[in-house]
């Protein structure tokens, strides 16, 4: 597998004039930052992996596509807010013979109207614990992401919720990842917050960030969990908090066992993913998801345009799947 993770020469897509498709053979795939594939599209993904490829659409350049081939794929990171959905498919993923771990976002915003369609908190906690038993706690990364404040969620209440989740999840993971909510940096988030009447949600003041860092430090020391800050410019090393690396070559080296070929590739070719935000330290991977397709209805999310757009795209997907068509992308094009 000496080939580097590269994009090969582009070729015109015969059925779509003006659309250019390039081929890429990623060693690591991300499933997915853009949407919750385990919760809503796992059947589709498993079929596509067996077929050997997906078509990824560039959300910023509609005439650019990538044919993502899995012939060189050796590892994956699965992202979800529904650990039970991922747990139910773990055996099938294992049949692919790839190295994988989970990034599970498990926030406690229950009854606040910020995450309308995630499973009940009690179920998510129970499923997280079971997933950890199934995979090993080094392969289940807990995310409380993003941390946010509002007129109904003051700093003390958020701190209490963090501490409560540490009591439930701390014994079942080695890492906890967080970020402070960034509203001003995403026009779509600002628009969505206003559209759904959540004008009381706000970003952290500088001193509030440090207060939460103290809470995280105290919990991390109690449960022996490494706390990692995702894409944060603020230096929190004084609290024992390190920069996050969600797609992490170091973790893959730990879980890859005797796969010396893959580990050699990681040591030689794994590099920072320049396509991510400035303070992201993830190594390069290829995401296979699609924006505006996640049905969790998280009101702080930058990846969804509106509930109506998501519902329409999901309907197209389900119509194709119900007819026995496994579309090349999450949202089919008939």
């Amino acid at each position: 597998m000496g080939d580097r993770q590269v994009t090969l020469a582009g070729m015109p897509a015969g059925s779509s004039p003006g659309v250019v498709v390039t081929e890429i053979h990623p060693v690591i795939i991300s499933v997915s930052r853009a949407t919750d594939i385990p919760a809503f599209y796992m059947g589709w993904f498993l079929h596509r992996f067996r077929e050997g490829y997906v078509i990824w659409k560039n959300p910023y350049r509609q005439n650019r596509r990538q044919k993502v081939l899995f012939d060189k794929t050796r590892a994956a990171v699965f992202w979800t807010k529904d650990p039970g959905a991922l747990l139910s498919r773990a055996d099938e993923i294992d049949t692919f013979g790839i190295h994988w771990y989970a990034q599970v976002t498990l926030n406690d915003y229950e009854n606040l109207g910020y995450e309308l369609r995630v499973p009940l908190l009690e179920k998510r906690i129970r499923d997280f614990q079971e997933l950890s038993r199934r995979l090993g706690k080094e392969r289940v990364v807990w995310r409380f992401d993003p941390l946010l404040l509002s007129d109904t969620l003051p700093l003390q209440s958020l701190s209490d919720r963090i501490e409560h989740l540490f009591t439930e999840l701390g014994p079942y993971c080695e890492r906890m990842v967080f970020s402070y909510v960034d509203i001003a940096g995403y026009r779509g988030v600002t628009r969505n917050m206003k559209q759904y009447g959540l004008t009381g949600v706000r970003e952290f003041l500088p001193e509030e960030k440090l207060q939460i860092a103290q809470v995280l430090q105290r919990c991390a020391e109690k449960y022996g969990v490494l706390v990692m800050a995702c894409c944060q410019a603020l230096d929190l090393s004084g609290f024992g908090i390190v920069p996050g690396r969600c797609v992490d070559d170091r973790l893959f080296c730990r879980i890859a066992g005797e796969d010396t070929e893959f580990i050699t590739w990681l040591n030689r070719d794994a590099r920072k993913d320049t396509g991510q935000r400035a303070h992201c330290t993830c190594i390069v991977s290829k995401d296979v998801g699609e924006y505006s397709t996640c049905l969790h209805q998280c009101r702080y999310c930058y990846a969804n345009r509106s509930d109506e757009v998501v519902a329409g795209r999901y309907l197209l997907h389900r119509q194709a799947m119900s007819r026995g068509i496994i579309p090349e992308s999450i949202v089919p094009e008939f």
Side-chain angles (χ1 to χ4, degrees):
M1 75 172 262
D3 297 26
R4 295 174 183 270
Q5 187 160 276
V6 295
T7 301
L8 304 182
M11 55 185 168
S15 60
S16 302
V19 175
V20 176
V21 177
T22 59
E23 292 185 351
I24 184 172
H25 302 257
V27 177
I28 302 172
I29 56 174
S30 176
V31 191
S32 154
R33 285 183 174 99
T35 190
D36 195 329
I37 287 177
F40 303 115
Y41 304 104
M42 199 60 171
W44 167 84
F45 172 76
L46 295 172
H47 277 287
R48 293 310 322 168
F49 197 93
R50 295 187 187 100
E51 288 293 318
Y53 75 95
V54 300
I55 298 296
W56 178 83
K57 306 168 189 172
N58 189 320
Y60 307 109
R61 302 181 67 187
Q62 296 299 317
N63 65 337
R64 294 291 186 267
R65 310 286 169 86
Q66 285 181 335
K67 185 173 185 179
V68 183
L69 294 114
F70 301 127
D71 55 326
K72 298 187 185 302
T73 298
R74 301 294 284 269
V77 179
F78 288 86
W79 310 67
T80 190
K81 290 188 174 181
D82 187 350
L86 187 55
L87 178 64
S88 69
R89 299 287 197 162
D91 289 345
E92 292 177 76
I93 300 171
D94 283 345
T95 65
F96 296 152
I98 60 175
H99 311 290
W100 66 279
Y101 63 87
Q103 293 272 350
V104 178
T105 300
L106 204 161
N107 304 332
D108 180 3
Y109 295 137
E110 198 156 60
N111 301 319
L112 292 173
Y114 305 149
E115 301 174 335
L116 299 188
R117 294 189 61 186
V118 297
L120 293 175
L121 179 62
E122 181 180 353
K123 182 180 187 303
R124 286 180 284 141
I125 289 172
R126 185 171 64 250
D127 290 341
F128 184 103
Q129 294 169 344
E130 188 58 34
L131 185 64
S132 174
R133 294 187 190 100
R134 166 67 173 78
L135 301 183
K137 65 180 185 178
E138 73 280 2
R139 292 176 58 197
V140 182
V141 180
W142 168 35
R143 308 179 69 88
F144 200 137
D145 182 29
L147 301 177
L148 57 82
L149 298 171
S150 73
D151 48 5
T152 57
L153 183 64
L155 189 69
Q156 186 57 56
S157 179
L158 176 62
S159 300
D160 293 342
R161 290 168 186 251
I162 292 171
E163 293 191 24
H164 169 66
L165 284 187
F166 261 101
T167 66
E168 298 287 352
L169 305 180
Y172 295 91
C173 64
E174 293 184 352
R175 300 181 178 193
M176 182 270 192
V177 179
F178 78 97
S179 68
Y180 300 108
V181 69
D182 181 3
I183 300 174
Y186 293 93
R187 285 183 298 175
V189 174
T190 303
R191 180 194 64 237
N192 290 345
M193 288 289 188
K194 183 177 180 180
Q195 176 182 354
Y196 297 113
L198 299 176
T199 55
V201 177
R202 65 176 179 84
E203 298 181 0
F204 287 74
L205 298 173
E207 60 270 21
E208 291 173 329
K209 289 185 176 182
L210 300 182
Q211 288 176 272
I212 285 294
Q214 289 178 329
V215 174
L216 294 170
Q217 180 184 34
R218 182 169 66 250
C219 293
E221 291 174 351
K222 182 176 180 179
Y223 293 99
V225 173
L226 176 65
V227 176
M228 311 180 82
C230 184
C231 295
Q232 301 300 302
L234 183 62
D235 181 2
L236 297 171
S237 58
F239 300 94
I241 297 172
V242 302
R245 188 178 300 177
C246 303
V247 181
D248 194 338
D249 51 318
R250 300 162 301 186
L251 182 51
F252 276 126
C253 282
R254 284 186 59 197
I255 69 176
E258 301 302 316
D259 191 347
T260 55
E261 192 175 28
F262 177 52
I263 293 173
T264 298
W265 181 88
L266 288 169
N267 291 332
R268 184 191 66 211
D269 292 333
R271 61 194 184 278
K272 175 179 165 56
D273 190 340
T274 57
Q276 302 301 323
R277 289 171 287 173
H279 297 284
C280 177
T281 66
C282 288
I283 63 168
V284 68
S285 63
K286 179 58 195 171
D287 201 285
V288 297
E290 195 164 343
Y291 286 141
S292 290
T293 58
C294 181
L295 281 79
H296 285 311
Q297 294 184 351
C298 300
R299 295 317 189 196
Y300 50 76
C301 182
Y302 65 87
N304 280 352
R305 192 181 312 164
S306 70
D307 291 349
E308 293 74 21
V309 170
V310 171
R313 292 182 172 186
Y314 184 71
L315 179 60
L316 287 174
H317 176 85
R318 293 309 309 166
Q319 287 174 335
M321 296 289 287
S322 67
R323 291 160 52 188
I325 300 170
I326 311 301
E328 295 178 317
S329 304
I330 289 176
V331 181
E333 295 182 339
F334 297 110

